[in-house]
Amino acid sequence: NVHFFGSRTSRENQLHLARLAATKDEVWSARDAWGSGNVLTGRAAVKPRLFDALAQDPAILHLATHVVASPDRSGVIVLGIDSSGRPGLLGLREVLSHSIQTSLVVMSGCSSGDAQALPASGLLGLTRAWLGAGALEVLATRWPTLDDNGPFFRDFYSFLKLNNRQGASEALRQAQLAMAHSAGFRNSPEFWASYFLIGKV
């Protein structure tokens, strides 16, 4: 199974994060390109539902959410607003506390791959946490990304579905090439070069 989470955090939340207006379009575009999967957006994209999804060991987990900096630069995933009006926050330690068997975790939020590099340890951010929890590969971003309605991930998942044996790295390359040859702002490396893939050797 595949799970697509889209958290459109309200302007009224305590973190004062802008609402991600295009998130719903992103996750539905990705889901349609893949052909199946569970989509959870808004108030349904909350931590208990995420933990339920992780317990099912999804083949792919796609998180279209805010990612905010933490004091140690490990990053925090911001999920939907719960019944108390507070956003769910998912940090490095909580990710590591869940053992998963997931082929691919996608975090399309701003700077989701940012992390502090420690001597003899390397990067210790969310990408490393998902790998430590059991994911085989993690797709993340190097810098802030635009709230976009999904052409990049439509191309990524379309290629991945049709050419599964070539894997996520080739699907990422093809999606980046498609954006580089497109018209408008998406053909700028500032848009498509932010995405990178990290995996287990």
Side-chain angles (χ1 to χ4, degrees):
N1 56 44
V2 179
H3 290 273
F4 298 93
F5 279 78
S7 174
R8 298 183 294 163
T9 306
S10 166
R11 289 188 180 89
E12 287 75 30
N13 70 79
Q14 295 174 341
L15 296 175
H16 305 291
L17 298 172
R19 183 174 180 269
L20 298 175
T23 295
K24 185 176 181 180
D25 292 335
E26 177 187 321
V27 293
W28 277 107
S29 176
R31 187 263 184 202
D32 290 346
W34 184 253
S36 63
N38 301 313
V39 174
L40 297 171
T41 61
R43 290 190 179 275
V46 292
K47 285 174 73 172
R49 300 290 290 272
L50 174 61
F51 295 152
D52 288 345
L54 291 175
Q56 298 173 41
D57 292 325
I60 299 172
L61 177 67
H62 183 107
L63 299 166
T65 67
H66 280 293
V67 176
V68 297
S70 58
D72 61 359
R73 285 190 57 204
S74 62
V76 175
I77 297 166
V78 183
L79 295 168
I81 305 295
D82 62 23
S83 58
S84 69
R86 297 177 180 174
L89 302 178
L90 184 68
L92 185 147
R93 286 186 174 84
E94 204 162 11
V95 169
L96 283 168
S97 70
H98 289 80
S99 179
I100 62 174
Q101 296 181 33
T102 300
S103 297
L104 175 66
V105 173
V106 174
M107 297 183 293
S108 67
C110 293
S111 306
S112 57
D114 189 27
Q116 184 178 15
L118 298 179
S121 298
L123 294 176
L124 295 177
L126 290 167
T127 53
R128 180 87 169 265
W130 285 115
L131 293 175
L136 297 181
E137 295 178 298
V138 181
L139 194 156
T141 60
R142 293 184 177 89
W143 54 74
T145 55
L146 291 172
D147 180 25
D148 195 39
N149 60 4
F152 180 88
F153 286 107
R154 179 197 62 217
D155 289 350
F156 173 78
Y157 284 111
S158 294
F159 187 89
L160 185 61
K161 181 180 180 181
L162 294 174
N163 305 274
N164 197 261
R165 289 189 178 186
Q166 295 187 46
S169 61
E170 181 61 19
L172 175 60
R173 189 178 81 87
Q174 292 294 333
Q176 289 174 321
L177 284 172
M179 295 301 102
H181 291 99
S182 67
F185 70 88
R186 294 186 186 92
N187 69 10
S188 169
E190 188 175 350
F191 173 77
W192 54 261
S194 177
Y195 299 98
F196 72 97
L197 188 76
I198 185 171
K200 295 179 177 177
V201 178

